[in-house]
Amino acid sequence: MILAVDSSAVVRRTEQWFVREGAPTMIEGYGFRSHVLPRMLPTLTFFTVGSLAWLVLLSSTGMSKWVLLGVIVAMMVSAWILLSLFVRRLPSFSRRTTIVLLTVYAAMPVIVPVLQYVAHERITTPGAEDPEYDWWVAPLWFIAFFGVAFVATMLGTTYGLGALLKAAIRHVIADLRNSVALLGRALPPMLFVTLFLFFTGELWQAMNTLPWPRVSLIVLLFAAITVLAAAARLRDEIGRVEQDLRPEILIGACKGTPLSGVEITEPLPPKRLNGRQLRNLLVMLAIRQLVQAAVVGFALFVFFVLLGLIVVTPEIAAKWIGEQVAIGWLGLPSAMLRNATLFAAFGSMYFSVISMSDAEHRQRFFAPVLEKVERTLEVRAVYLKVRGQVPA
């Protein structure tokens, strides 16, 4: 193998390529302090500055409040962009820098409510107006908010969820022809299962008064079942991925990557993946599956809303519900919107689970995704070879 002129620069650019492809765990020596925390910094700063800016907004009223909000949002976005550009040049943080950053962020659940109390002599959190609101709920709320933000950012950064989600959405938008074919194949069996249930009067009665937060919990339950089913099935798909590391295969895989200038003259041995890397590949497959299920769910939602507008008149809805019909968005009956949401969530879950057991659909859907996984592994093999020959 003949290396590029500046192999260290090729290695750095290849690592950035892994990040853009949503496979950052393929970077050798990938760790929290060296790779994850630097890329988390812009998002964590966004949350921190936003929470402090919220205190300023609480003391403003009228038009000045909205002007100030626009200025704050612009400053937050600018800071996020500048920090993103900065961390691209910073390969890792020292132990001292890591401790300082984590300590400052950990102090935010204390700093924000203290500053809020000093400025307004009260702490404003969701539900603070409730007479039964206990004093200890506010600290827990701030701890939960910053804790969830930190964990979500860490997981999203570790496994490249943002890049994978953008790639999946681009795939759906760019491949509209296959998306239409997908809907043509997916909608008929889904409607066969759900269509007549849509006209159940008892369900309309329940949906007329069921609050949207509870409907959201039902949707999350269906989504959790979809994720569990996808995880169990996709582990088998990962096991079918082949690593053909012959020179001609590796040269083709490296085209369009920073390794395209590397001359490969011999086959390479397959490289073993650790648990984090396997999970990264699993997430890569799962996100594509979930985005496709979301497309089916949206189509089902639109279909049931249109069907309700055509078939279910206000008089029929009133008879089914037996009481005053609640009106929701755009003047549409809330029961119809909630029913459409419920059946869209159920239909997308049903489609996702059934499609993974259908050989034809699995071949059509997983073939391009598995090719991407195989290419990632082929590029990784060349990257490790080049990296191993970089002078220390």
Side-chain angles (χ1 to χ4, degrees):
M1 177 178 293
I2 301 177
L3 302 184
V5 176
D6 189 353
S7 55
S8 60
V10 170
V11 168
R12 288 195 301 271
R13 291 198 301 269
T14 304
E15 292 175 348
Q16 295 173 357
W17 182 86
F18 282 134
V19 173
R20 292 193 300 270
E21 291 296 307
T25 59
M26 300 300 157
I27 299 174
E28 186 69 8
Y30 189 77
F32 177 77
R33 193 178 70 187
S34 58
H35 296 89
V36 178
L37 184 59
R39 290 169 46 224
M40 289 174 60
L41 184 60
T43 303
L44 295 180
T45 303
F46 188 90
F47 282 116
T48 302
V49 174
S51 63
L52 294 175
W54 178 48
L55 302 179
V56 180
L57 289 176
L58 289 177
S59 60
S60 303
T61 58
M63 183 59 67
S64 61
K65 180 176 182 177
W66 300 107
V67 174
L68 184 59
L69 177 61
V71 173
I72 290 174
V73 170
M75 293 177 62
M76 291 170 62
V77 172
S78 300
W80 185 82
I81 294 175
L82 291 176
L83 280 174
S84 298
L85 295 175
F86 171 72
V87 298
R88 289 180 184 177
R89 301 174 179 273
L90 191 64
S92 64
F93 287 150
S94 65
R95 182 180 297 272
R96 177 178 298 179
T97 302
T98 301
I99 293 174
V100 170
L101 290 174
L102 294 180
T103 301
V104 171
Y105 187 83
M108 293 309 298
V110 177
I111 295 174
V112 172
V114 168
L115 290 178
Q116 190 179 34
Y117 185 80
V118 170
H120 306 285
E121 296 185 352
R122 63 187 180 91
I123 299 176
T124 303
T125 59
E129 296 79 10
D130 191 337
E132 300 182 358
Y133 187 82
D134 295 320
W135 65 269
W136 51 267
V137 175
L140 288 181
W141 190 91
F142 282 103
I143 292 173
F145 172 79
F146 284 99
V148 170
F150 183 88
V151 173
T153 303
M154 182 178 65
L155 292 176
T157 303
T158 300
Y159 296 107
L161 298 184
L164 291 175
L165 185 59
K166 288 189 291 185
I169 294 175
R170 285 199 305 268
H171 175 80
V172 170
I173 295 176
D175 202 6
L176 291 178
R177 180 183 303 176
N178 285 347
S179 297
V180 172
L182 166 68
L183 295 178
R185 295 174 64 244
L187 289 183
M190 298 305 100
L191 295 177
F192 179 78
V193 174
T194 59
L195 180 61
F196 295 104
L197 294 176
F198 182 74
F199 298 105
T200 304
E202 291 80 1
L203 191 59
W204 280 70
Q205 293 175 14
M207 292 296 108
N208 187 59
T209 57
L210 192 68
W212 279 106
R214 289 178 178 265
V215 176
S216 301
L217 291 178
I218 297 174
V219 173
L220 289 177
L221 180 62
F222 286 142
I225 296 174
T226 303
V227 170
L228 291 176
R233 186 69 188 184
L234 294 179
R235 287 185 184 276
D236 297 334
E237 300 296 337
I238 289 291
R240 296 190 179 97
V241 172
E242 298 180 357
Q243 294 194 50
D244 187 352
L245 303 181
R246 291 174 295 168
E248 59 271 21
I249 300 296
L250 296 175
I251 292 174
C254 291
K255 288 182 178 179
T257 74
L259 295 172
S260 58
V262 176
E263 183 178 349
I264 305 168
T265 58
E266 59 184 15
L268 298 177
K271 301 297 181 179
R272 186 177 180 85
L273 300 174
N274 58 36
R276 179 185 288 177
Q277 292 166 339
L278 288 173
R279 287 192 295 272
N280 198 169
L281 297 180
L282 183 64
V283 169
M284 184 182 296
L285 294 176
I287 286 183
R288 183 69 68 87
Q289 175 76 355
L290 292 176
V291 168
Q292 192 165 9
V295 172
V296 174
F298 178 75
L300 284 172
F301 176 82
V302 173
F303 174 84
F304 280 116
V305 169
L306 293 177
L307 182 66
L309 290 175
I310 296 172
V311 177
V312 185
T313 63
E315 294 77 13
I316 294 177
K319 290 181 180 180
W320 285 352
I321 295 172
E323 58 186 59
Q324 184 177 2
V325 178
I327 302 301
W329 303 327
L330 303 177
L332 300 176
S334 297
M336 182 178 67
L337 295 174
R338 291 167 184 150
N339 267 332
T341 303
L342 179 66
F343 285 112
F346 174 79
S348 62
M349 178 205 69
Y350 181 82
F351 166 77
S352 180
V353 173
I354 294 300
S355 65
M356 286 185 289
S357 61
D358 180 74
E360 179 184 356
H361 179 272
R362 187 170 64 249
Q363 176 63 26
R364 293 185 59 182
F365 170 68
F366 283 112
V369 185
L370 291 178
E371 289 176 1
K372 179 180 179 181
V373 171
E374 291 172 354
R375 184 194 183 200
T376 301
L377 297 179
E378 291 156 2
V379 173
R380 174 176 176 265
V382 180
Y383 155 77
L384 292 177
K385 186 68 174 180
V386 174
R387 190 178 186 277
Q389 299 183 15
V390 174

